[in-house]
Amino acid sequence: MHERSSVAELAGLLRGELNRYSPGEKLPSSRALVERFRVSPVTVTRALGALAAEGLIVTRPGAGSFRAAPPTGNRPTGDTSWQEVALSAETADEPVPRSVDASAVLATLAAPPPGVIELNGGYLHPSLQPERALAAALARAGRRPGAWGRPPVEGLGELRAWFAREIGGPAGTVAPSDVLITSGGQNALTAALRALAPPGAPILVESPTYPGLLAAARAAGLRPVPVPADTNGVRTDLLAQAFRASGSRVFVCQPLFANPHGAVLSTERRGEVLRVAREAGAFVIEDDFARRLVHEDAGPLPATLAADDPDGVVIHVCSLTKAASPSLRVGALAARGPVLQRLRAIQVVDQFFVSRPLQEAALELVGSPAWARHLRTIAAELRTRRETLLTAVRRELPEPAEVRHAPAGGYHVWLRLPDGTDESALTATALRAGVAVAPGRPYFPAEPPAPHLRLSFASAAGPPELVEGVRRLRTAWDD
């Protein structure tokens, strides 16, 4: 059994047995639990730790584990209604709203209820994550000289150099000094938005696009302006019009396997994006989230936009999180020119620096043979899962539902629904049928042209679960 599942299962069994013990009564020893449940000592330790964190048991080194006393119920019940006034008291000229709508982001972060198949997730299923390699990397990192000391605010030099090679490609067009280490891609994206646009300013975004970008922009008081995209990426003719009409100085795009539709920016449009932005005196934020999620049957990948940009138009954002683990919050910002100092200042003010042990662990991971093996493994697995999901969709769902583009990278497909379909009702019915899917509305910065669903094939347990998930979606559709 997978270690994480074993811990959760054992914790659940022990939680159900706690009523057998009086408060303060000692639980069976760890050795007895190992023998009874046929699990490892590590699993027992972690399960007991989970119960202790919930306040259900108390562990005493050398003595054992004991059932905790129930809460006294003396928690004060004050009156917090005054906060409604304080939180909503905005001045007329306040440019940044203090309320933030994170619902679309939380939908992809929250674990589904038990028994529900997750087709709306944004991360690899635990079975696809390189947990052994991560554990080994973390162990080696902890033994590195100075691993627990204060790192440079820009990030470790070796890690900056690694990201520079990844971003700049064989030509070496990105230098380590152009790179800042960040706490994942979302942190990098938020920092770039704050650096480049003042509150109240318009920013151009692809339509549809990643809801986390829209939430971050609105939280910073920015106004997302949609620029339609098709199977070749953003419409560059409309991009030029949008720059002129809005006066924006920022365009955010995902040139490679864009979320949610999976398109790759065509060769012709790559040059046009840079030309149009340069003529508008604008920056391009390149969100390169999916480069390490390429599928086995994909052809050669295009270089990053940053690799083809000597003039500092592109601010590049990437991370290790999507291809490794949700908890490996290590990413990078790459930029040239004076904007790099502004980005550095924002990073320092926001977080001082990224945890050094985490940076050291990232270095150990990407420098090991296990990293290359892991990327090959997920390339093959993601291709298999994509084909399984597409086959199930075509077999199970009515003809008006259509996947217009089968991406060769990333972890999701974009399903066009028949006109008039109520996305919210379908999503809610699907959840009752036992499958979680993502409605299309949150991916559009303005009114969507049609109803959609985004289906993830990375967060499910495997191909059989993908097939069952689509079958449950069909049940919801029929309902």
Side-chain angles (χ1 to χ4, degrees):
M1 182 181 290
H2 195 273
E3 178 67 24
R4 185 178 299 175
S5 301
S6 299
V7 171
E9 184 177 334
L10 179 58
L13 292 171
L14 295 177
R15 193 181 294 110
E17 294 183 356
L18 281 180
N19 287 335
R20 299 179 185 178
Y21 303 92
S22 302
E25 186 177 351
K26 186 176 181 180
L27 275 63
S29 67
S30 294
R31 180 177 297 179
L33 295 175
V34 167
E35 294 176 356
R36 177 185 169 192
F37 292 103
R38 307 281 184 179
V39 293
S40 70
V42 173
T43 298
V44 170
T45 300
R46 290 180 176 175
L48 292 174
L51 296 183
E54 294 173 24
L56 299 177
I57 67 171
V58 175
T59 56
R60 299 171 189 159
S65 299
F66 303 81
R67 183 181 175 186
T72 61
N74 292 330
R75 184 183 177 193
T77 56
D79 179 7
T80 60
S81 58
W82 65 271
Q83 293 185 5
E84 294 183 45
V85 177
L87 291 173
S88 60
E90 299 179 9
T91 60
D93 59 348
E94 192 166 356
V96 182
R98 281 177 282 173
S99 60
V100 177
D101 182 5
S103 56
V105 180
L106 290 172
T108 63
L109 295 178
V116 172
I117 295 174
E118 187 177 8
L119 298 188
N120 65 338
Y123 297 105
L124 298 177
H125 187 268
S127 63
L128 295 180
Q129 296 171 22
E131 290 194 345
R132 289 186 179 179
L134 283 165
L138 195 59
R140 292 193 302 271
R143 296 192 294 269
R144 282 187 166 214
W148 294 92
R150 184 174 59 196
V153 294
E154 299 87 355
L156 297 180
E158 291 176 81
L159 190 56
R160 296 171 74 194
W162 183 85
F163 272 113
R165 291 191 296 272
E166 290 282 300
I167 298 166
T173 53
V174 175
S177 57
D178 297 332
V179 176
L180 301 173
I181 302 302
T182 66
S183 295
Q186 186 72 10
N187 169 242
L189 193 59
T190 302
L193 291 174
R194 288 179 56 199
L196 301 178
I203 63 164
L204 306 187
V205 300
E206 294 172 291
S207 181
T209 192
Y210 164 52
L213 161 64
L214 300 177
R218 289 169 178 148
L222 306 177
R223 296 187 292 108
V225 176
V227 183
D230 56 25
T231 54
N232 290 314
V234 66
R235 291 270 308 274
T236 47
D237 56 331
L238 299 178
L239 179 65
Q241 291 180 25
F243 271 125
R244 288 193 297 269
S246 68
S248 175
R249 292 294 179 265
V250 180
F251 169 52
V252 188
C253 69
Q254 295 179 334
L256 190 65
F257 311 128
N259 182 4
H261 47 76
V264 176
L265 189 63
S266 67
T267 302
E268 298 76 14
R269 293 187 185 180
R270 285 169 58 88
E272 276 294 287
V273 165
L274 295 180
R275 182 190 66 78
V276 168
R278 200 176 291 117
E279 289 181 356
F283 288 98
V284 174
I285 299 177
E286 177 185 22
D287 183 3
D288 197 30
F289 79 102
R291 187 165 295 270
R292 297 170 189 87
L293 297 174
V294 61
H295 300 175
E296 190 177 48
D297 57 346
L301 296 184
T304 65
L305 293 181
D308 295 333
D309 166 45
D311 302 325
V313 172
V314 177
I315 310 295
H316 183 91
V317 171
C318 63
S319 85
L320 298 174
T321 307
K322 291 292 187 186
S325 163
S327 291
L328 188 65
R329 311 283 323 158
V330 175
L333 271 169
R336 295 186 180 92
V339 71
L340 184 62
Q341 294 308 310
R342 184 178 294 185
L343 290 166
R344 178 182 181 273
I346 288 175
Q347 285 292 96
V348 170
V349 169
D350 278 356
Q351 60 180 13
F352 293 173
F353 45 77
V354 177
S355 161
R356 180 160 189 158
L358 203 57
Q359 292 190 61
E360 299 278 11
L363 263 176
E364 289 285 353
L365 176 67
V366 300
S368 70
W371 179 243
R373 288 197 300 270
H374 168 65
L375 294 181
R376 289 194 297 271
T377 297
I378 61 172
E381 182 66 23
L382 290 176
R383 175 192 180 184
T384 299
R385 286 165 172 250
R386 181 198 72 206
E387 290 304 304
T388 299
L389 182 66
L390 289 173
T391 299
V393 165
R394 290 163 182 153
R395 182 179 64 245
E396 294 286 348
L397 299 187
E399 275 191 22
E402 181 184 9
V403 176
R404 294 181 176 174
H405 178 66
Y411 54 87
H412 42 69
V413 296
W414 190 231
L415 182 65
R416 167 68 153 82
L417 302 177
D419 291 339
T421 302
D422 187 333
E423 291 177 2
S424 299
L426 179 57
T427 302
T429 306
L431 191 60
R432 290 194 295 272
V435 59
V437 295
R441 179 64 186 89
Y443 293 82
F444 290 92
E447 292 77 12
H452 293 82
L453 291 181
R454 195 196 75 160
L455 305 179
S456 168
F457 47 80
S459 51
E465 194 168 271
L466 291 172
V467 173
E468 174 62 17
V470 175
R471 188 196 66 77
R472 295 181 186 183
L473 179 59
R474 175 57 191 260
T475 299
W477 190 297
D478 292 341
D479 288 345

PDB file of all heavy atoms in Angstrom, residues 41-61:
ATOM      1  N   PRO A  41       7.087   0.626  11.397  1.00  0.00           N
ATOM      2  CA  PRO A  41       7.186   1.544  12.533  1.00  0.00           C
ATOM      3  C   PRO A  41       7.017   3.003  12.119  1.00  0.00           C
ATOM      4  O   PRO A  41       6.465   3.809  12.869  1.00  0.00           O
ATOM      5  CB  PRO A  41       8.582   1.269  13.093  1.00  0.00           C
ATOM      6  CG  PRO A  41       8.898  -0.117  12.669  1.00  0.00           C
ATOM      7  CD  PRO A  41       8.255  -0.286  11.334  1.00  0.00           C
ATOM      8  N   VAL A  42       7.501   3.343  10.912  1.00  0.00           N
ATOM      9  CA  VAL A  42       7.359   4.718  10.434  1.00  0.00           C
ATOM     10  C   VAL A  42       5.881   5.069  10.253  1.00  0.00           C
ATOM     11  O   VAL A  42       5.429   6.162  10.622  1.00  0.00           O
ATOM     12  CB  VAL A  42       8.115   4.917   9.104  1.00  0.00           C
ATOM     13  CG1 VAL A  42       7.827   6.286   8.512  1.00  0.00           C
ATOM     14  CG2 VAL A  42       9.609   4.752   9.324  1.00  0.00           C
ATOM     15  N   THR A  43       5.098   4.141   9.708  1.00  0.00           N
ATOM     16  CA  THR A  43       3.665   4.379   9.526  1.00  0.00           C
ATOM     17  C   THR A  43       2.979   4.594  10.863  1.00  0.00           C
ATOM     18  O   THR A  43       2.141   5.494  11.023  1.00  0.00           O
ATOM     19  CB  THR A  43       3.023   3.196   8.781  1.00  0.00           C
ATOM     20  OG1 THR A  43       3.622   3.087   7.493  1.00  0.00           O
ATOM     21  CG2 THR A  43       1.524   3.398   8.613  1.00  0.00           C
ATOM     22  N   VAL A  44       3.333   3.771  11.866  1.00  0.00           N
ATOM     23  CA  VAL A  44       2.749   3.927  13.200  1.00  0.00           C
ATOM     24  C   VAL A  44       3.098   5.294  13.786  1.00  0.00           C
ATOM     25  O   VAL A  44       2.239   6.013  14.319  1.00  0.00           O
ATOM     26  CB  VAL A  44       3.216   2.800  14.139  1.00  0.00           C
ATOM     27  CG1 VAL A  44       2.820   3.096  15.585  1.00  0.00           C
ATOM     28  CG2 VAL A  44       2.621   1.472  13.693  1.00  0.00           C
ATOM     29  N   THR A  45       4.365   5.686  13.658  1.00  0.00           N
ATOM     30  CA  THR A  45       4.805   6.972  14.203  1.00  0.00           C
ATOM     31  C   THR A  45       4.056   8.125  13.551  1.00  0.00           C
ATOM     32  O   THR A  45       3.601   9.059  14.233  1.00  0.00           O
ATOM     33  CB  THR A  45       6.317   7.141  13.990  1.00  0.00           C
ATOM     34  OG1 THR A  45       7.006   6.082  14.666  1.00  0.00           O
ATOM     35  CG2 THR A  45       6.802   8.478  14.526  1.00  0.00           C
ATOM     36  N   ARG A  46       3.898   8.051  12.242  1.00  0.00           N
ATOM     37  CA  ARG A  46       3.211   9.142  11.540  1.00  0.00           C
ATOM     38  C   ARG A  46       1.723   9.171  11.876  1.00  0.00           C
ATOM     39  O   ARG A  46       1.127  10.250  12.007  1.00  0.00           O
ATOM     40  CB  ARG A  46       3.410   8.999  10.032  1.00  0.00           C
ATOM     41  CG  ARG A  46       4.838   9.284   9.592  1.00  0.00           C
ATOM     42  CD  ARG A  46       5.006   9.134   8.090  1.00  0.00           C
ATOM     43  NE  ARG A  46       6.345   9.500   7.663  1.00  0.00           N
ATOM     44  CZ  ARG A  46       6.794   9.375   6.413  1.00  0.00           C
ATOM     45  NH1 ARG A  46       5.998   8.919   5.472  1.00  0.00           N
ATOM     46  NH2 ARG A  46       8.031   9.713   6.110  1.00  0.00           N
ATOM     47  N   ALA A  47       1.106   8.013  12.012  1.00  0.00           N
ATOM     48  CA  ALA A  47      -0.312   7.971  12.358  1.00  0.00           C
ATOM     49  C   ALA A  47      -0.541   8.534  13.761  1.00  0.00           C
ATOM     50  O   ALA A  47      -1.481   9.317  13.986  1.00  0.00           O
ATOM     51  CB  ALA A  47      -0.833   6.541  12.260  1.00  0.00           C
ATOM     52  N   LEU A  48       0.313   8.159  14.701  1.00  0.00           N
ATOM     53  CA  LEU A  48       0.195   8.706  16.055  1.00  0.00           C
ATOM     54  C   LEU A  48       0.442  10.214  16.054  1.00  0.00           C
ATOM     55  O   LEU A  48      -0.209  10.969  16.780  1.00  0.00           O
ATOM     56  CB  LEU A  48       1.171   8.002  16.996  1.00  0.00           C
ATOM     57  CG  LEU A  48       0.861   6.523  17.293  1.00  0.00           C
ATOM     58  CD1 LEU A  48       1.987   5.903  18.118  1.00  0.00           C
ATOM     59  CD2 LEU A  48      -0.470   6.372  18.014  1.00  0.00           C
ATOM     60  N   GLY A  49       1.383  10.646  15.229  1.00  0.00           N
ATOM     61  CA  GLY A  49       1.648  12.078  15.116  1.00  0.00           C
ATOM     62  C   GLY A  49       0.441  12.841  14.589  1.00  0.00           C
ATOM     63  O   GLY A  49       0.149  13.954  15.029  1.00  0.00           O
ATOM     64  N   ALA A  50      -0.288  12.220  13.637  1.00  0.00           N
ATOM     65  CA  ALA A  50      -1.492  12.864  13.102  1.00  0.00           C
ATOM     66  C   ALA A  50      -2.556  13.009  14.183  1.00  0.00           C
ATOM     67  O   ALA A  50      -3.209  14.052  14.297  1.00  0.00           O
ATOM     68  CB  ALA A  50      -2.029  12.049  11.924  1.00  0.00           C
ATOM     69  N   LEU A  51      -2.729  11.981  15.003  1.00  0.00           N
ATOM     70  CA  LEU A  51      -3.713  12.060  16.077  1.00  0.00           C
ATOM     71  C   LEU A  51      -3.294  13.074  17.139  1.00  0.00           C
ATOM     72  O   LEU A  51      -4.137  13.775  17.705  1.00  0.00           O
ATOM     73  CB  LEU A  51      -3.897  10.676  16.714  1.00  0.00           C
ATOM     74  CG  LEU A  51      -4.472   9.584  15.812  1.00  0.00           C
ATOM     75  CD1 LEU A  51      -4.666   8.296  16.599  1.00  0.00           C
ATOM     76  CD2 LEU A  51      -5.777  10.017  15.174  1.00  0.00           C
ATOM     77  N   ALA A  52      -1.989  13.157  17.402  1.00  0.00           N
ATOM     78  CA  ALA A  52      -1.510  14.153  18.373  1.00  0.00           C
ATOM     79  C   ALA A  52      -1.749  15.559  17.854  1.00  0.00           C
ATOM     80  O   ALA A  52      -2.127  16.466  18.610  1.00  0.00           O
ATOM     81  CB  ALA A  52      -0.029  13.927  18.665  1.00  0.00           C
ATOM     82  N   ALA A  53      -1.550  15.760  16.542  1.00  0.00           N
ATOM     83  CA  ALA A  53      -1.773  17.083  15.960  1.00  0.00           C
ATOM     84  C   ALA A  53      -3.239  17.479  16.045  1.00  0.00           C
ATOM     85  O   ALA A  53      -3.567  18.666  16.124  1.00  0.00           O
ATOM     86  CB  ALA A  53      -1.308  17.093  14.503  1.00  0.00           C
ATOM     87  N   GLU A  54      -4.142  16.500  16.043  1.00  0.00           N
ATOM     88  CA  GLU A  54      -5.572  16.782  16.168  1.00  0.00           C
ATOM     89  C   GLU A  54      -5.989  16.996  17.620  1.00  0.00           C
ATOM     90  O   GLU A  54      -7.153  17.315  17.891  1.00  0.00           O
ATOM     91  CB  GLU A  54      -6.379  15.620  15.580  1.00  0.00           C
ATOM     92  CG  GLU A  54      -6.208  15.445  14.083  1.00  0.00           C
ATOM     93  CD  GLU A  54      -6.894  14.190  13.569  1.00  0.00           C
ATOM     94  OE1 GLU A  54      -7.846  13.733  14.240  1.00  0.00           O
ATOM     95  OE2 GLU A  54      -6.490  13.669  12.523  1.00  0.00           O
ATOM     96  N   GLY A  55      -5.034  16.789  18.555  1.00  0.00           N
ATOM     97  CA  GLY A  55      -5.363  16.956  19.964  1.00  0.00           C
ATOM     98  C   GLY A  55      -6.088  15.776  20.571  1.00  0.00           C
ATOM     99  O   GLY A  55      -6.648  15.891  21.663  1.00  0.00           O
ATOM    100  N   LEU A  56      -6.074  14.612  19.884  1.00  0.00           N
ATOM    101  CA  LEU A  56      -6.798  13.442  20.372  1.00  0.00           C
ATOM    102  C   LEU A  56      -5.969  12.598  21.320  1.00  0.00           C
ATOM    103  O   LEU A  56      -6.520  11.885  22.164  1.00  0.00           O
ATOM    104  CB  LEU A  56      -7.267  12.583  19.190  1.00  0.00           C
ATOM    105  CG  LEU A  56      -8.229  13.277  18.217  1.00  0.00           C
ATOM    106  CD1 LEU A  56      -8.548  12.353  17.055  1.00  0.00           C
ATOM    107  CD2 LEU A  56      -9.503  13.692  18.933  1.00  0.00           C
ATOM    108  N   ILE A  57      -4.645  12.619  21.139  1.00  0.00           N
ATOM    109  CA  ILE A  57      -3.770  11.872  22.025  1.00  0.00           C
ATOM    110  C   ILE A  57      -2.610  12.760  22.460  1.00  0.00           C
ATOM    111  O   ILE A  57      -2.360  13.814  21.854  1.00  0.00           O
ATOM    112  CB  ILE A  57      -3.216  10.585  21.363  1.00  0.00           C
ATOM    113  CG1 ILE A  57      -2.264  10.943  20.205  1.00  0.00           C
ATOM    114  CG2 ILE A  57      -4.345   9.677  20.880  1.00  0.00           C
ATOM    115  CD1 ILE A  57      -1.527   9.737  19.647  1.00  0.00           C
ATOM    116  N   VAL A  58      -1.928  12.330  23.503  1.00  0.00           N
ATOM    117  CA  VAL A  58      -0.727  13.003  23.984  1.00  0.00           C
ATOM    118  C   VAL A  58       0.395  11.979  23.981  1.00  0.00           C
ATOM    119  O   VAL A  58       0.218  10.867  24.491  1.00  0.00           O
ATOM    120  CB  VAL A  58      -0.931  13.565  25.403  1.00  0.00           C
ATOM    121  CG1 VAL A  58       0.366  14.162  25.934  1.00  0.00           C
ATOM    122  CG2 VAL A  58      -2.039  14.599  25.420  1.00  0.00           C
ATOM    123  N   THR A  59       1.514  12.316  23.365  1.00  0.00           N
ATOM    124  CA  THR A  59       2.669  11.411  23.355  1.00  0.00           C
ATOM    125  C   THR A  59       3.715  11.914  24.336  1.00  0.00           C
ATOM    126  O   THR A  59       4.010  13.103  24.383  1.00  0.00           O
ATOM    127  CB  THR A  59       3.285  11.327  21.946  1.00  0.00           C
ATOM    128  OG1 THR A  59       3.637  12.645  21.507  1.00  0.00           O
ATOM    129  CG2 THR A  59       2.289  10.748  20.946  1.00  0.00           C
ATOM    130  N   ARG A  60       4.254  10.982  25.127  1.00  0.00           N
ATOM    131  CA  ARG A  60       5.275  11.317  26.104  1.00  0.00           C
ATOM    132  C   ARG A  60       6.494  10.452  25.831  1.00  0.00           C
ATOM    133  O   ARG A  60       6.418   9.217  25.949  1.00  0.00           O
ATOM    134  CB  ARG A  60       4.760  11.073  27.523  1.00  0.00           C
ATOM    135  CG  ARG A  60       3.544  11.915  27.884  1.00  0.00           C
ATOM    136  CD  ARG A  60       2.949  11.488  29.204  1.00  0.00           C
ATOM    137  NE  ARG A  60       1.666  12.163  29.428  1.00  0.00           N
ATOM    138  CZ  ARG A  60       0.733  11.726  30.265  1.00  0.00           C
ATOM    139  NH1 ARG A  60       0.944  10.610  30.965  1.00  0.00           N
ATOM    140  NH2 ARG A  60      -0.398  12.391  30.411  1.00  0.00           N
ATOM    141  N   PRO A  61       7.599  11.081  25.402  1.00  0.00           N
ATOM    142  CA  PRO A  61       8.798  10.313  25.076  1.00  0.00           C
ATOM    143  C   PRO A  61       9.203   9.389  26.223  1.00  0.00           C
ATOM    144  O   PRO A  61       9.291   9.809  27.381  1.00  0.00           O
ATOM    145  CB  PRO A  61       9.858  11.400  24.841  1.00  0.00           C
ATOM    146  CG  PRO A  61       9.071  12.599  24.424  1.00  0.00           C
ATOM    147  CD  PRO A  61       7.795  12.521  25.197  1.00  0.00           C
TER     148      PRO A  61
END
